[in-house]
Amino acid sequence: MRLWGDKRGQAIQIGAVLLFATLIIALSLYQATVVPQNNKEVEFNHNLQVQDQLVDMRNAIIRTAGTGTEQPASVTLGTQYAERVFSVNPGRPGGTLETVSLGTISIENAATVGDNPYWETVASHEFETKGLQYRPNYNEYRNAPTTSYEHSILFNQFEDSSNRVLADQSIVNGRQITLITLDGKYQESTTGSVTLNARPVSVSAETVAITNTSTGPVRITLPTRMSEEQWLETLEDQSVADGGFVDLDETTYTPGSPNTITLVLKGDETYNLRLAKVGVGTQVESERATYITTDKPNQTVTPGASERFTVTVKDRYNNPVSGVVVNSSNETKFVPISNTTDQNGKFEFRYTAPTSEQSDTVVASILGNSTNYERVDFTIEVSEESGNGDEGNEINPAEVGDIRLTNSSIAGGSGKNGQTVSFVLENTGDQANITSARISFYYEAGTGSGSADNAVIRETGTSNSATLDIGGEFKTLNPEITLPGSGATTTVDLEFWKNAKQGTNDDFQVKSGDFVVITVTFDSGESATYFIAP
């Protein structure tokens, strides 16, 4: 009997093989198509997230330039794909954030409005600057843009040279011109997050008023990686045609290494220029003292009086520099009060006038005193007709930035026979000190004159600063009366006495209807007169 083989199991085996092959093909197709598409979507969404973070980074740089405080910004350079069971992801994508060289900013044809010896002497002002650049290293999103920061602008650069602005320019805003340079070396390549710290190098809220020279309009040249079309678009709302001050018809774009854009400002206008320098990473160069200036080079001082003279030391960005030694041409009569400039770049001298009327010249200088902007020449007239007296001073100043009289009242004196007028001064500007004072007049109601002989002046709750004779000369205050700024108030006491010497038994009573006129001198050299009717 012949036996035949059993073939009934072959169909099942073939089916299993075909099913497995189908599964393998499906997984292969999934790996080849679906996984890349999903990962590309992850990378695309990550790129949008990074762009938002880079806008925050750009804002941190601008805030640092405006506030003078360090501002951090976090950027997630890489991303992570979704976990997969039956498929494989490529390596985790990362990115690089780094500083890139840009070139030199230059300002030409700028003349200062007012006294600024440095800007009057130096014809062209140049400032090196850098940019920041983020380059992603994606696996699937291969036409992702490079995102760059320069001159307050954040923009995307694509391989086809097209750009898209993410954060607009803040260089020109009407007549306000703000130039922020970036310095330092920074480079991070990672799949995780990094924190970029923007640090102030040379910043302040101070501006210098400029206008054009006879040579031509003010020209600001900026190195750039942006295209001409993109610059014209971002400057359009500041154009002369739209009521702004940038003459786009004269503005020029020059391709090169680097490309440059030259902004031409409308002529015969005054602009407020603010310069700032911000550092990131390492190798950030500090700015040194460049010039010295003062608000009052010419002053009049009463014979025998002692007055304060203030100078300010600044760098080439027009910002104050601390820790600078300021020299005096005559330390016997023009005595330095501090060792170096303070955080506001201020340095003070104490000048003691001779007892006779004459003209005097003293010099404050920095560095080598080799140029006109490294020195200040003070011309001082020693005269009884002192400019620090009542004449010519505004009575009860009330403008913004002034020290205003806000209130006055009659209070009991600290002594048995005294009577006190308390008056409140509100300082709406920066901190100031009252260095000297004089009472030019006291009116006693009902008599038309005053029988008080003198008054002790002091800040309420502190020791006496000086005894002021009614109708007498300026007296130096020791201690000086400090007036904190930004709207803070300080109460000052005038304790009146009838006899020439405080502490006698003769009584003087201040009463309603009396008034007193007092003139005070501040450490800035300015003075103010107050009409006080308690």
Side-chain angles (χ1 to χ4, degrees):
M1 182 176 179
R2 188 175 181 182
L3 298 175
W4 299 91
D6 190 353
K7 299 181 179 179
R8 288 175 296 176
Q10 292 180 355
I12 296 174
Q13 294 171 353
I14 293 172
V17 170
L18 290 176
L19 180 61
F20 181 73
T22 301
L23 180 61
I24 294 299
I25 292 171
L27 286 173
S28 299
L29 290 174
Y30 184 84
Q31 179 70 48
T33 59
V34 177
V35 171
Q37 282 298 113
N38 288 345
N39 288 348
K40 184 176 182 179
E41 183 179 359
V42 169
E43 293 170 350
F44 179 81
N45 290 333
H46 169 260
N47 193 253
L48 295 180
Q49 175 192 5
V50 171
Q51 290 177 30
D52 289 339
Q53 293 173 337
L54 292 173
V55 170
D56 292 338
M57 180 198 71
R58 171 257 189 192
N59 294 340
I61 294 172
I62 294 175
R63 282 197 302 271
T64 297
T67 65
T69 58
E70 184 172 314
Q71 300 283 335
S74 295
V75 182
T76 307
L77 300 186
T79 188
Q80 190 167 357
Y81 303 125
E83 293 185 1
R84 305 182 187 279
V85 178
F86 298 108
S87 57
V88 179
N89 282 322
R92 185 177 175 182
T96 299
L97 180 64
E98 61 183 342
T99 51
V100 292
S101 178
L102 274 183
T104 303
I105 298 174
S106 67
I107 304 173
E108 298 175 293
N109 300 339
T112 55
V113 178
D115 185 22
N116 188 309
Y118 176 65
W119 278 74
E120 290 171 359
T121 303
V122 179
S124 178
H125 299 266
E126 297 186 344
F127 309 90
E128 290 292 322
T129 189
K130 293 183 178 180
L132 277 166
Q133 189 177 82
Y134 168 71
R135 292 180 291 106
N137 185 21
Y138 294 135
N139 295 302
E140 302 300 338
Y141 183 26
R142 295 187 182 135
N143 61 338
T146 295
T147 305
S148 299
Y149 165 86
E150 64 178 47
H151 312 305
S152 76
I153 303 172
L154 189 74
F155 61 99
N156 282 337
Q157 291 176 289
F158 293 89
E159 291 183 358
D160 61 0
S161 298
S162 62
N163 297 332
R164 186 172 75 87
V165 171
L166 303 175
D168 211 350
Q169 64 88 27
S170 62
I171 303 166
V172 183
N173 183 13
R175 290 186 175 86
Q176 180 69 43
I177 311 298
T178 304
L179 295 175
I180 303 170
T181 66
L182 193 67
D183 189 26
K185 182 179 181 181
Y186 182 88
Q187 183 181 45
E188 287 287 349
S189 296
T190 182
T191 59
S193 296
V194 298
T195 298
L196 182 82
N197 291 308
R199 307 191 305 274
V201 180
S202 175
V203 301
S204 77
E206 296 186 28
T207 62
V208 57
I210 62 171
T211 188
N212 55 278
T213 64
S214 58
T215 306
V218 177
R219 300 168 63 88
I220 303 173
T221 300
L222 307 168
T224 183
R225 294 170 180 258
M226 287 176 58
S227 66
E228 180 178 12
E229 292 74 18
Q230 203 65 45
W231 269 107
L232 294 177
E233 180 181 342
T234 194
L235 290 169
E236 185 176 4
D237 64 340
Q238 299 295 327
S239 67
V240 172
D242 281 357
F245 297 91
V246 180
D247 190 343
L248 292 185
D249 291 335
E250 296 296 327
T251 293
T252 58
Y253 184 91
T254 306
S257 299
N259 306 322
T260 59
I261 179 83
T262 299
L263 312 184
V264 179
L265 304 184
K266 183 179 178 181
D268 299 326
E269 300 285 349
T270 299
Y271 301 93
N272 294 316
L273 173 66
R274 186 169 71 88
L275 298 166
K277 181 177 180 178
V278 175
V280 294
T282 60
Q283 300 181 20
V284 178
E285 293 187 10
S286 59
E287 288 297 321
R288 68 179 187 88
T290 301
Y291 69 96
I292 183 173
T293 185
T294 186
D295 292 334
K296 294 203 168 199
N298 303 316
Q299 296 190 42
T300 304
V301 180
T302 303
S306 180
E307 297 290 345
R308 283 194 178 198
F309 289 75
T310 304
V311 295
T312 304
V313 177
K314 297 185 177 183
D315 60 23
R316 63 196 180 108
Y317 284 79
N318 300 311
N319 296 322
V321 184
S322 62
V324 180
V325 175
V326 182
N327 301 308
S328 168
S329 62
N330 188 334
E331 292 195 358
T332 301
K333 64 170 65 172
F334 205 53
V335 182
I337 295 177
S338 54
N339 295 324
T340 60
T341 54
D342 63 16
Q343 62 181 0
N344 297 315
K346 303 290 186 184
F347 191 95
E348 292 184 320
F349 293 92
R350 172 74 70 184
Y351 173 79
T352 302
T355 56
S356 59
E357 294 189 349
Q358 58 184 275
S359 295
D360 204 354
T361 300
V362 289
V363 179
S365 64
I366 60 172
L367 307 175
N369 191 15
S370 58
T371 65
N372 66 316
Y373 51 79
E374 291 180 357
R375 58 184 284 148
V376 169
D377 296 332
F378 286 97
T379 301
I380 304 170
E381 290 294 328
V382 181
S383 171
E384 292 290 352
E385 301 296 325
S386 171
N388 293 333
D390 297 24
E391 298 80 6
N393 294 317
E394 182 181 2
I395 297 179
N396 292 348
E399 298 295 327
V400 175
D402 286 338
I403 297 173
R404 308 168 178 172
L405 174 67
T406 61
N407 193 20
S408 62
S409 60
I410 300 174
S414 61
K416 177 181 178 182
N417 301 313
Q419 193 73 18
T420 301
V421 172
S422 295
F423 61 99
V424 180
L425 296 178
E426 177 191 20
N427 185 1
T428 61
D430 296 330
Q431 177 175 306
N433 286 355
I434 300 177
T435 59
S436 62
R438 71 180 292 256
I439 296 176
S440 57
F441 187 73
Y442 187 97
Y443 174 86
E444 187 176 2
T447 67
S449 61
S451 59
D453 292 307
N454 55 46
V456 172
I457 184 172
R458 60 174 172 265
E459 181 181 352
T460 301
T462 65
S463 58
N464 297 342
S465 292
T467 299
L468 308 178
D469 295 328
I470 307 298
E473 298 181 351
F474 275 88
K475 294 289 185 68
T476 299
L477 304 193
N478 184 20
E480 296 177 349
I481 297 176
T482 299
L483 307 175
S486 303
T489 59
T490 303
T491 303
V492 180
D493 289 342
L494 290 174
E495 185 180 52
F496 287 92
W497 297 87
K498 187 173 182 179
N499 286 24
K501 184 179 179 181
Q502 176 186 352
T504 65
N505 291 326
D506 290 339
D507 188 23
F508 181 80
Q509 297 294 319
V510 179
K511 28 181 207 307
S512 178
D514 292 2
F515 67 82
V516 59
V517 179
I518 184 173
T519 300
V520 299
T521 302
F522 305 109
D523 51 2
S524 64
E526 297 179 348
S527 56
T529 299
Y530 299 99
F531 180 96
I532 303 171

